[in-house]
Amino acid sequence: MKTSGPVVTIVVAAGSGVRLGSDQPKAALPLAGRPLVAWSVETAWAAGSAAVVVVAPPDRVDEFRRYVGPSVTVVAGGQQRQDSVRAGLAAVPEAASVVLVHDAARPLASVALWRRVIAAVQTGAEAVVPVVAVVDSLRRVGAGSELSVSVDRSELRRVQTPQGFAAVPFRAAHGAAAGLDLTDDATVMERAGYPVAVVEGEELAFKVTYPLDWALAETVVEHGLAEVTGNVNTEMTMTRETVALGRVPVAATTTADAVGGEIQTGIGFDTHRLVPGRAMAVAGLVWPDELVGPDGHSDGDPVAHAICDALFTAAGIGDLGTHFGTADPQWRGASGVTLVAETARRVRAAGYQVVHVAVQLIGQRPKLGGRRAEAQEVLSQALGGPVALAATTTDGLGFTGRGEGIAAMATATVRRVS
Ligand code: CTP
Ligand code: MG
């Protein structure tokens, strides 16, 4: 049956990633600074999903909510992948007409692939899987036997996700398959008697299973070979520069109205005088070897303050002074990290999801050097979203060059969700 109704995506991310060998769940691990699960969620939006459901490890539901933002429904997964899909399906809105199921473990699947799957369901297929050719020669070996027979690979395909289904039969088939150990969703449909159509898959949709796969995913991103989706409904190509800054949605635009439009960007700049007797609290860290530190009402962290203004202006809800004015004793001495966390909370409360922050420290010291990753981690934790941090000197020129002060400049990208 042809359909043009709502497409709802389930991203299954409740596995523990045993084969990857990390002590954290696979979907929570940062790929280029962004939790693995967030990559698939962005692609789901970009491909035109009307709603997205993420299935998270049962003890990580709140953590995963922070990774994917308030517009995504996050539910607890189950023991087996099929249990997790069933939990996700229970949260799919009734009105869904097409249901996609995607592994968070396939972060780099392109928007084009998603659209091929969606289009096949919309034009009448009840179950659709993307497939790719087998490249190795194949051989069937009997258990315990040293004999083997070659297998003709020309008829065989490897199955990927996203897999797409007509919602009504998919719900029914899943109900009927409860308790059976079936490895993918198309098999569930096949058991229920539905034919499974195929569309062309792609190598980029490979599954991150072993450490070697993780290294491949990082390399693909680093070399700009993955398609970036950001949070806008266009397909974009990731350049080296955007990779360096994290996943900046390059086609994102602001609207004339500060609180209108889906994607909005903001800007912030801050500067503080450097004085003896103050701790060098900059970029969310304390730099113990420095002899001077930023003066100010709070800890004077210009990186944090620039981020706050970028967030406030992105959401169009004022600035640092409006929210944490010097008249308010509550914020006296507040750390930059505290202010970033509170700013992010207020921006979310105003109906925005924080997509990304980029910030540059301007000053001769401290030297970011080996602590960039640490600073990014602290700031990202406070923000509940990705922060990319750069630093520059001014070649000895001006007040930062002379060491009289320190400055920072930031941009923030937010997405209106309510
Ligand atoms: N998955 C899930 N619930 C489970 C098991 C797996 O949601 N109980 C999800 C995983 O998070 C992953 C996808 O199904 O996105 C494919 O599974 P796999 O690649 O096997 O991931 P893990 O199960 O996490 O890895 P491993 O098998 O190595 O533990
Ligand atoms: Mg598994």
Side-chain angles (χ1 to χ4, degrees):
M1 204 180 68
K2 285 195 193 333
T3 169
S4 57
V7 176
V8 177
T9 296
I10 301 170
V11 177
V12 283
S16 47
V18 172
R19 287 170 288 180
L20 196 58
S22 166
D23 56 354
Q24 296 295 310
K26 184 158 70 183
L29 297 175
L31 174 64
R34 166 164 302 216
L36 196 71
V37 62
W39 289 73
S40 297
V41 167
E42 284 192 4
T43 311
W45 289 126
S49 303
V52 178
V53 176
V54 162
V55 188
D59 56 337
R60 304 273 185 149
V61 170
D62 286 342
E63 177 188 331
F64 273 56
R65 276 199 183 110
R66 289 200 304 277
Y67 295 156
V68 297
S71 42
V72 174
T73 305
V74 182
V75 299
Q79 203 67 29
Q80 304 296 325
R81 186 181 177 284
Q82 281 316 303
D83 303 326
S84 296
V85 174
R86 201 167 298 115
L89 197 51
V92 168
E94 269 310 307
S97 142
V98 176
V99 176
L100 295 192
V101 182
H102 181 65
D103 292 335
R106 300 178 189 271
L108 303 180
S110 71
V111 173
L113 173 62
W114 288 56
R115 291 197 175 141
R116 276 202 293 283
V117 173
I118 294 169
V121 181
Q122 286 175 335
T123 52
E126 269 132 341
V128 178
V129 297
V131 295
V132 287
V134 177
V135 288
D136 293 322
S137 295
L138 296 175
R139 191 153 277 275
R140 177 176 291 118
V141 290
S145 155
E146 281 172 17
L147 296 177
S148 64
V149 262
S150 64
V151 176
D152 178 9
R153 71 179 175 209
S154 65
E155 285 189 354
L156 297 178
R157 298 289 183 272
R158 292 178 289 141
V159 176
Q160 303 179 316
T161 74
Q163 300 187 357
F165 307 97
V168 172
F170 188 52
R171 285 186 203 273
H174 247 280
L180 299 176
D181 184 18
L182 303 175
T183 56
D184 77 343
D185 307 290
T187 313
V188 170
M189 288 293 270
E190 196 174 73
R191 290 280 302 218
Y194 292 98
V196 175
V198 297
V199 296
E200 201 177 327
E202 61 180 21
E203 290 305 330
L204 266 181
F206 69 95
K207 186 152 76 76
V208 174
T209 305
Y210 294 103
L212 192 62
D213 304 315
W214 187 271
L216 176 61
E218 280 186 329
T219 305
V220 166
V221 173
E222 207 173 290
H223 288 268
L225 300 173
E227 183 181 56
V228 67
T229 51
N231 283 284
V232 288
N233 282 338
T234 53
E235 290 169 35
M236 290 169 278
T237 307
M238 183 182 263
T239 65
R240 261 197 106 75
E241 286 71 23
T242 59
V243 176
L245 284 175
R247 303 188 75 212
V248 183
V250 288
T253 51
T254 40
T255 59
D257 174 359
V259 292
E262 221 202 344
I263 287 276
Q264 298 176 185
T265 60
I267 188 164
F269 176 80
D270 189 45
T271 179
H272 283 268
R273 187 184 297 276
L274 288 173
V275 295
R278 293 272 299 181
M280 182 68 93
V282 168
L285 302 178
V286 174
W287 304 76
D289 297 339
E290 302 298 324
L291 302 175
V292 292
D295 201 8
H297 165 67
S298 63
D299 69 358
D301 181 344
V303 169
H305 298 172
I307 291 174
C308 292
D309 268 348
L311 289 165
F312 283 133
T313 54
I317 56 168
D319 62 14
L320 264 178
T322 331
H323 287 265
F324 310 121
T326 47
D328 186 346
Q330 195 188 341
W331 306 109
R332 180 171 297 279
S335 75
V337 166
T338 303
L339 295 183
V340 169
E342 179 59 18
T343 301
R345 197 190 64 73
R346 293 182 186 199
V347 164
R348 291 195 176 96
Y352 295 88
Q353 176 187 348
V354 178
V355 176
H356 183 265
V357 162
V359 59
Q360 186 175 37
L361 171 67
I362 304 161
Q364 299 299 122
R365 302 187 62 88
K367 294 288 179 230
L368 218 50
R371 298 187 76 192
R372 182 204 309 270
E374 193 188 341
Q376 287 185 157
E377 179 61 26
V378 167
L379 294 166
S380 302
Q381 283 291 332
L383 179 73
V387 176
L389 174 64
T392 186
T393 71
T394 50
D395 212 10
L397 299 172
F399 69 89
T400 63
R402 291 189 298 271
E404 294 165 12
I406 186 165
M409 199 156 52
T411 64
T413 309
V414 300
R415 178 171 185 271
R416 184 152 184 79
V417 288
S418 62

